[in-house]
Protein backbone atom coordinates (compact mmCIF):
# COMPACT_ATOMS: atom_id res chain seq x y z
CA UNK A 1 0.00 0.00 0.00
CA UNK A 2 1.43 3.42 -0.88
CA UNK A 3 2.27 5.92 1.85
CA UNK A 4 -0.26 8.72 2.34
CA UNK A 5 0.74 12.25 1.44
CA UNK A 6 1.90 14.43 4.37
CA UNK A 7 -0.73 16.64 6.02
CA UNK A 8 1.06 19.82 4.94
CA UNK A 9 1.04 18.70 1.31
CA UNK A 10 -2.67 17.85 1.46
CA UNK A 11 -3.46 21.21 3.07
CA UNK A 12 -1.56 23.04 0.30
CA UNK A 13 -3.32 21.11 -2.45
CA UNK A 14 -6.75 21.76 -0.92
CA UNK A 15 -6.00 25.47 -0.47
CA UNK A 16 -4.94 25.84 -4.12
CA UNK A 17 -7.96 23.87 -5.36
CA UNK A 18 -10.39 25.96 -3.28
CA UNK A 19 -9.06 29.23 -4.68
CA UNK A 20 -10.99 28.52 -7.86
CA UNK A 21 -8.46 30.08 -10.23
CA UNK A 22 -7.77 26.77 -11.97
CA UNK A 23 -9.75 23.64 -12.67
CA UNK A 24 -9.46 20.52 -10.52
CA UNK A 25 -7.65 18.72 -13.34
CA UNK A 26 -5.06 21.50 -13.65
CA UNK A 27 -4.41 21.55 -9.89
CA UNK A 28 -4.07 17.77 -9.78
CA UNK A 29 -1.64 17.81 -12.69
CA UNK A 30 0.48 20.57 -11.16
CA UNK A 31 0.83 18.62 -7.89
CA UNK A 32 1.31 15.31 -9.76
CA UNK A 33 -1.64 13.54 -8.14
CA UNK A 34 -4.68 11.98 -9.75
CA UNK A 35 -7.85 13.96 -10.21
CA UNK A 36 -9.84 11.36 -8.25
CA UNK A 37 -7.41 11.67 -5.33
CA UNK A 38 -7.90 15.44 -5.28
CA UNK A 39 -11.68 15.13 -5.47
CA UNK A 40 -11.63 12.65 -2.59
CA UNK A 41 -9.40 14.94 -0.50
CA UNK A 42 -11.73 17.90 -1.16
CA UNK A 43 -14.76 15.87 -0.03
CA UNK A 44 -12.99 14.76 3.13
CA UNK A 45 -11.85 18.30 3.91
CA UNK A 46 -15.33 19.75 3.44
CA UNK A 47 -16.78 17.01 5.66
CA UNK A 48 -14.20 17.78 8.37
CA UNK A 49 -15.05 21.48 8.21
CA UNK A 50 -18.77 20.73 8.45
CA UNK A 51 -18.28 18.38 11.41
CA UNK A 52 -16.05 20.86 13.21
CA UNK A 53 -18.66 23.58 12.76
CA UNK A 54 -21.59 21.52 14.01
CA UNK A 55 -19.86 19.95 17.02
CA UNK A 56 -18.81 23.32 18.39
CA UNK A 57 -22.18 24.99 17.98
CA UNK A 58 -24.57 22.22 18.95
CA UNK A 59 -24.83 20.61 22.35
CA UNK A 60 -27.58 18.17 21.39
CA UNK A 61 -26.97 14.42 21.35
CA UNK A 62 -26.10 13.00 17.93
CA UNK A 63 -28.62 10.78 16.19
CA UNK A 64 -28.21 7.09 17.02
CA UNK A 65 -26.30 5.00 14.51
CA UNK A 66 -28.42 2.34 12.82
CA UNK A 67 -26.94 -0.31 10.57
CA UNK A 68 -28.82 -1.90 7.71
CA UNK A 69 -29.35 -5.65 7.68
CA UNK A 70 -27.24 -7.22 4.95
CA UNK A 71 -29.91 -9.71 3.90
CA UNK A 72 -32.75 -7.19 3.86
CA UNK A 73 -33.06 -3.51 3.21
CA UNK A 74 -34.85 -2.79 6.48
CA UNK A 75 -33.42 -1.50 9.71
CA UNK A 76 -32.84 -4.15 12.35
CA UNK A 77 -33.03 -3.20 15.99
CA UNK A 78 -30.41 -5.82 16.94
CA UNK A 79 -27.82 -4.19 14.67
CA UNK A 80 -27.91 -0.90 16.57
CA UNK A 81 -24.74 0.02 18.36
Amino acid sequence: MPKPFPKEFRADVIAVARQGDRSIAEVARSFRISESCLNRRLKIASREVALAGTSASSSAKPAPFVRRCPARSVECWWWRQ
Side-chain angles (χ1 to χ4, degrees):
M1 179 171 218
K3 285 176 66 174
F5 292 110
K7 290 182 181 181
E8 298 83 18
F9 177 79
R10 290 183 287 197
D12 289 343
V13 172
I14 290 168
V16 171
R18 285 185 174 168
Q19 284 177 353
D21 298 339
R22 300 186 299 176
S23 70
I24 299 294
E26 289 173 328
V27 173
R29 253 184 268 124
S30 68
F31 282 96
R32 295 185 178 177
I33 60 175
S34 68
E35 193 174 340
S36 62
C37 178
L38 179 54
N39 279 324
R40 181 175 179 272
R41 275 279 129 214
L42 287 169
K43 285 181 186 179
I44 290 170
S46 65
R47 191 179 320 134
E48 288 172 352
V49 168
L51 288 175
T54 57
S55 64
S57 64
S58 91
S59 60
K61 289 174 74 177
F65 177 74
V66 179
R67 282 190 178 177
R68 307 287 274 172
C69 291
R72 297 176 228 133
S73 63
V74 296
E75 293 176 355
C76 299
W77 61 270
W78 63 85
W79 277 61
R80 292 181 191 207
Q81 293 182 351

